[in-house]
Amino acid sequence: MPALRRKNGREPACEACRRRKLACDHETPACQRCRRLSLKCVYLANPLTKGRARSLPEADSPTVLNNESEGVPSTKTCPGAQSTTPILESSAEYLGPTSFSSVFVEHRDRFGVDQTLKTPTGGGIDGVGAQSPTQPGNPTITPRMLQLGIQILQNLPDERTCNLLFVHPMALMDACFRPAYRIASDKMWDEYRDVLRLRNSEHLQFVAKRFSECSLTPLPAVQDPHLWIESFSGKRTRWELLGSLFTFWSSAASQLPVQHDIITQYCQQHAFKRPKDLMVHLKRCASMCIELCSQLGAINILFVHLAFKHNILESIASGDKSLSCWRQHGDVIAVTTSIGLHRELSSDWNEVSFQYELKRRVYASIYNFDKVISTFTGRPPLLNRKYSTTKLPLDIDDEDIFSGRIGDAVAKLNSNGWDSSEDRQPYPATILRARAMLARNREEMLEVLETSQDSITDAAVQTCLHLKAQATDIYAQFPEVIKFKTDHVHDRDMPGQLLALRVLVRLDFLLNLFILERLLTRHRVVDEQALIQVSHEMVGLTLIYWKHKDRFENHVDFSWLAMSYAVPGSGILCLELLRQSSSPETYTLELPRSDIIQDLSVLVAFLDWLRPSESDIAAKAQIKGILQRSLDRILSMPASLHSPTRALDALPDFVGADPHLDLLNTFAWVDWDAAL
């Protein structure tokens, strides 16, 4: 129940119910009616009753209403866009060499501009952790902001639940933030434990104000990792930290089994029926933190990581091809480029320090996700390597970074930037670096694909062959610790997480080859043999996640794996089976018919077992139906191997009876204008 009270002592209705003059049940963070209708749910102690009512923005996370009279910036634009200042006033924001101020910045000596002004590279460390300093005209803390802060704090899990939710496996996109946030979380509880246990409204308002004041303060870009953690924890705790903690807790909630004690107790207290409800609840709280940071102008590397983590959660909750996920991804790209994470001076490329590695890891995570979601949806990527000069993160363990042993770790790297130590385990940066390298290779493929839809030039063919060789060379230089081998599946001593990561890296590599082979096959540059082999391996590797799902208990992305890797390959295999059945005497390609049919049958069962997000349900059901009908047709024509005439007569009827057979042409799924 919200602790806010109106002047008459009654509990306030949320703004959505109040404006519509409907009864409100006062639940937090969102009443049942707002959750059911996906409305923004906001509680105000003294709601404004005068003036024309404005419609609430269409979003799924509770937030505070904007009011121009109180100076609260509009958040209809990119988060933080309203709070940044021109580079002539601040060095925190990246403005490139074509910007309106570039002439004045480059010749600041002649114009007498402040010598502290930085050149517009955005690659300096000053732009990594800092944000626009508080100046006249910058946001101030308003009563509405404090009310939103109180609402966030009221929904903070208890300390025991927070600690238990933090122990689950590290995600690749955590960079080196997870160990830092573990320490910062403890410092926050040490400072505010008594207040956060009692949850007194007056005390919560004091804490909300303290958090807001800290978020208004620029984040220092110190090189000492422990001093950096202290700058946003303890007495200096900021909304960026709390929002990120909510994303960690939400991610853990999505991975916990239904019978887990945390799920049972927390769901009973908050009337949640399933783990996903808890995951969405915590994600909404993170969204509220994002809203508050945007209004306070707290746009820095912590905020970028928070927005990115929230975007990942949105893809899990709503689906990778949902509009909400794509819009949030656009916001992440906007804040990433606005503070210059994509830029480094060439003179800084050989620099190795805590802040440089922090920046490179965050940017590599966002860059890789940009290519993943672009390939999945068929939409153009939003980040381009041609406008990015930030170097790849080095293959260094997080412990070496936080212990100050970066120099020793760098000494173990080979000429390609990989740790050459024997008997080592992969670090989070190892997988991140590998996937980012394959993402760069894929971006070039997508550029060729975009210009070769109807026809392909000789130059484009040569580019494709070059990119294929490049992808092979990239995979060959990866350390053995992240390369998949068939016998790994039967090694029960190998941790499930390590096996999953090796399979994922191999699938990323195969997907690059699949895109190229599909393009070359479509234009009759090569035959389908290589495409068949790549497709078959993609399907087989993806099925490992289901056949051995007992080893991957902490994975929640089975649906994305199936749709991203197995489904495109299955379409190619189905087409080749149909072609072989229709023309067995003239079909000359090597096609392991029995193995393929078995894998496709298992894939149908896999798709039937999946519980995708609502936006992916229709696509999954449609593809499963196509595969089933294709297998039925293939298995019902055994005589075609001896009587090609009958098979040829039957195939056109089948094609005409199924208007969705075109979906088997998986080339369309990586087209700019197409999507699942």
Side-chain angles (χ1 to χ4, degrees):
M1 301 290 288
L4 299 177
R5 297 281 177 177
R6 296 167 56 186
K7 291 182 179 180
N8 59 9
R10 295 180 180 178
E11 294 174 344
C14 73
E15 286 297 283
C17 293
R18 185 184 68 82
R19 290 179 184 277
R20 292 163 177 80
K21 298 182 179 180
L22 298 173
C24 180
D25 57 20
H26 310 292
E27 288 190 12
T28 58
C31 68
Q32 292 185 2
R33 180 176 175 277
C34 289
R35 287 203 301 266
R36 188 178 71 255
L37 299 178
S38 298
L39 297 175
K40 285 195 174 183
C41 191
V42 182
Y43 292 97
L44 302 179
N46 298 299
L48 299 177
T49 57
K50 296 182 180 181
R52 188 177 66 178
R54 293 180 296 170
S55 60
L56 295 175
E58 296 179 0
D60 64 344
S61 55
T63 183
V64 65
L65 294 179
N66 298 318
N67 188 332
E68 291 84 348
S69 63
E70 296 193 19
V72 180
S74 171
T75 55
K76 293 182 180 180
T77 58
C78 162
Q82 71 281 354
S83 65
T84 53
T85 56
I87 200 166
L88 289 176
E89 299 175 13
S90 168
S91 62
E93 183 180 8
Y94 170 77
L95 294 176
T98 63
S99 66
F100 67 94
S101 61
S102 60
V103 174
F104 297 94
V105 174
E106 292 173 14
H107 301 281
R108 57 184 180 275
D109 294 337
R110 292 179 176 272
F111 290 115
V113 178
D114 187 354
Q115 291 299 312
T116 62
L117 189 65
K118 305 295 181 182
T119 54
T121 63
I125 291 301
D126 291 337
V128 174
Q131 67 198 50
S132 302
T134 304
Q135 297 186 16
N138 272 26
T140 56
I141 303 172
T142 67
R144 293 193 174 208
M145 292 181 184
L146 292 179
Q147 291 169 7
L148 179 58
I150 292 173
Q151 191 173 345
I152 295 171
L153 295 172
Q154 287 171 338
N155 287 279
L156 184 70
D158 61 86
E159 185 176 4
R160 175 178 175 272
T161 303
C162 292
N163 292 333
L164 290 175
L165 287 173
F166 215 102
V167 300
H168 280 262
M170 180 184 300
L172 296 178
M173 69 287 297
D174 289 344
C176 49
F177 283 90
R178 188 182 185 88
Y181 286 160
R182 171 75 269 186
I183 299 173
S185 176
D186 293 339
K187 290 180 177 292
M188 179 190 73
W189 281 104
D190 290 342
E191 180 67 26
Y192 297 105
R193 181 173 288 110
D194 294 338
V195 175
L196 296 179
R197 282 179 177 176
L198 297 175
R199 307 288 170 101
N200 177 277
S201 180
E202 181 179 353
H203 291 164
L204 289 182
Q205 182 172 352
F206 167 77
V207 175
K209 185 177 180 181
R210 282 277 297 270
F211 284 13
S212 300
E213 290 172 345
C214 291
S215 290
L216 282 172
T217 306
L219 184 69
V222 294
Q223 293 294 350
D224 187 311
H226 300 288
L227 292 179
W228 179 70
I229 296 173
E230 291 179 1
S231 69
F232 58 82
S233 61
K235 293 182 179 181
R236 302 182 181 89
T237 299
R238 316 160 66 97
W239 291 116
E240 303 99 287
L241 168 64
L242 189 57
S244 295
L245 292 178
F246 271 114
T247 64
F248 282 104
W249 300 330
S250 178
S251 178
S254 67
Q255 301 177 33
L256 291 173
V258 179
Q259 299 82 7
H260 199 282
D261 292 341
I262 300 177
I263 296 290
T264 302
Q265 295 176 10
Y266 206 89
C267 288
Q268 288 176 350
Q269 296 173 3
H270 296 79
F272 298 140
K273 296 181 179 179
R274 52 180 181 162
K276 186 174 181 180
D277 294 336
L278 175 57
M279 175 259 192
V280 172
H281 166 78
L282 296 172
K283 183 180 78 71
R284 282 175 176 160
C285 294
S287 178
M288 295 163 70
C289 291
I290 291 176
E291 180 75 16
L292 195 50
C293 290
S294 299
Q295 295 181 6
L296 291 168
I299 310 303
N300 47 52
I301 196 169
L302 296 182
F303 179 83
V304 173
H305 187 251
L306 163 59
F308 174 60
K309 288 278 291 182
H310 186 268
N311 191 200
I312 299 293
L313 292 172
E314 183 66 23
S315 71
I316 297 174
S318 303
D320 297 271
K321 72 185 190 68
S322 65
L323 180 59
S324 60
C325 178
W326 185 252
R327 292 178 64 179
Q328 287 188 20
H329 177 57
D331 286 345
V332 172
I333 301 301
V335 294
T336 297
T337 54
S338 72
I339 66 172
L341 291 184
H342 64 301
R343 300 293 292 175
E344 274 185 5
L345 291 173
S346 58
S347 57
D348 296 333
W349 286 349
N350 294 323
E351 292 290 334
V352 180
S353 67
F354 169 72
Q355 287 290 342
Y356 275 107
E357 278 302 299
L358 192 70
K359 168 182 177 177
R360 290 163 182 168
R361 293 184 181 200
V362 173
Y363 183 70
S365 299
I366 297 171
Y367 179 86
N368 177 68
F369 184 72
D370 180 59
K371 304 306 171 287
V372 168
I373 195 172
S374 173
T375 307
F376 183 84
T377 62
R379 298 164 184 155
L382 303 184
L383 283 175
N384 193 302
R385 73 193 184 287
K386 296 178 181 178
Y387 299 100
S388 304
T389 57
T390 299
K391 304 297 286 184
L392 289 170
L394 296 175
D395 186 17
I396 300 176
D397 190 8
D398 291 346
E399 293 184 3
D400 291 330
I401 291 180
F402 282 99
S403 62
R405 300 193 302 265
I406 292 185
D408 296 336
V410 172
K412 296 187 294 185
L413 303 180
N414 60 25
S415 59
N416 292 322
W418 299 103
D419 186 344
S420 54
S421 304
E422 297 182 0
D423 301 326
R424 53 157 294 198
Q425 293 296 314
Y427 314 131
T430 309
I431 306 297
L432 181 59
R433 177 182 173 87
R435 300 192 71 195
M437 292 174 70
L438 290 172
R440 287 184 173 183
N441 178 250
R442 188 181 306 172
E443 182 184 341
E444 294 186 66
M445 296 178 184
L446 296 178
E447 291 175 354
V448 177
L449 180 63
E450 193 270 339
T451 59
S452 305
Q453 294 294 305
D454 301 322
S455 61
I456 188 168
T457 63
D458 293 339
V461 170
Q462 293 302 315
T463 300
C464 288
L465 297 177
H466 167 72
L467 292 175
K468 181 179 178 180
Q470 184 185 77
T472 304
D473 291 341
I474 289 174
Y475 188 80
Q477 71 169 261
F478 290 166
E480 293 297 323
V481 72
I482 62 173
K483 287 185 179 180
F484 172 78
K485 297 179 181 178
T486 305
D487 56 358
H488 292 163
V489 178
H490 307 291
D491 183 1
R492 303 300 297 185
D493 294 331
M494 179 178 292
Q497 185 180 22
L498 178 57
L499 175 61
L501 293 176
R502 288 178 172 177
V503 172
L504 179 61
V505 172
R506 179 67 181 178
L507 284 172
D508 272 345
F509 165 65
L510 291 174
L511 185 57
N512 285 13
L513 298 185
F514 177 86
I515 294 172
L516 287 176
E517 294 295 345
R518 187 68 186 107
L519 177 61
L520 295 175
T521 300
R522 182 186 188 188
H523 294 294
R524 301 291 186 266
V525 177
V526 297
D527 62 26
E528 292 84 356
Q529 189 63 65
L531 180 61
I532 293 172
Q533 295 173 352
V534 171
S535 300
H536 194 194
E537 186 177 357
M538 284 174 61
V539 173
L541 286 178
T542 308
L543 291 178
I544 291 176
Y545 289 101
W546 190 57
K547 292 178 180 178
H548 304 273
K549 55 181 177 291
D550 59 311
R551 301 179 63 179
F552 311 116
E553 295 179 354
N554 294 314
H555 284 263
V556 295
D557 51 2
F558 289 115
S559 179
W560 168 75
L561 289 165
M563 301 295 283
S564 296
Y565 302 106
V567 166
S570 68
I572 296 299
L573 297 179
C574 273
L575 283 174
E576 293 305 318
L577 286 173
L578 289 171
R579 287 169 179 161
Q580 184 193 57
S581 298
S582 63
S583 305
E585 295 181 350
T586 59
Y587 193 86
T588 59
L589 300 176
E590 183 180 348
L591 189 69
R593 180 184 175 88
S594 177
D595 291 341
I596 291 176
I597 291 177
Q598 291 180 52
D599 284 346
L600 292 178
S601 300
V602 175
L603 178 58
V604 170
F606 186 16
L607 294 175
D608 189 58
W609 173 78
L610 290 174
R611 296 293 180 269
S613 58
E614 292 184 2
S615 67
D616 294 335
I617 288 178
K620 189 212 74 169
Q622 189 179 49
I623 291 168
K624 186 187 73 171
I626 293 173
L627 293 177
Q628 286 177 320
R629 289 192 296 273
S630 299
L631 287 172
D632 289 344
R633 178 60 60 179
I634 292 167
L635 294 175
S636 66
M637 294 191 301
S640 64
L641 295 177
H642 306 284
S643 179
T645 304
R646 291 181 59 186
L648 286 171
D649 292 339
L651 185 61
D653 293 337
F654 168 62
V655 175
D658 189 350
H660 303 297
L661 189 59
D662 286 342
L663 283 180
L664 288 177
N665 184 349
T666 52
F667 185 85
W669 299 346
V670 288
D671 189 352
W672 298 128
D673 300 319
L676 285 175

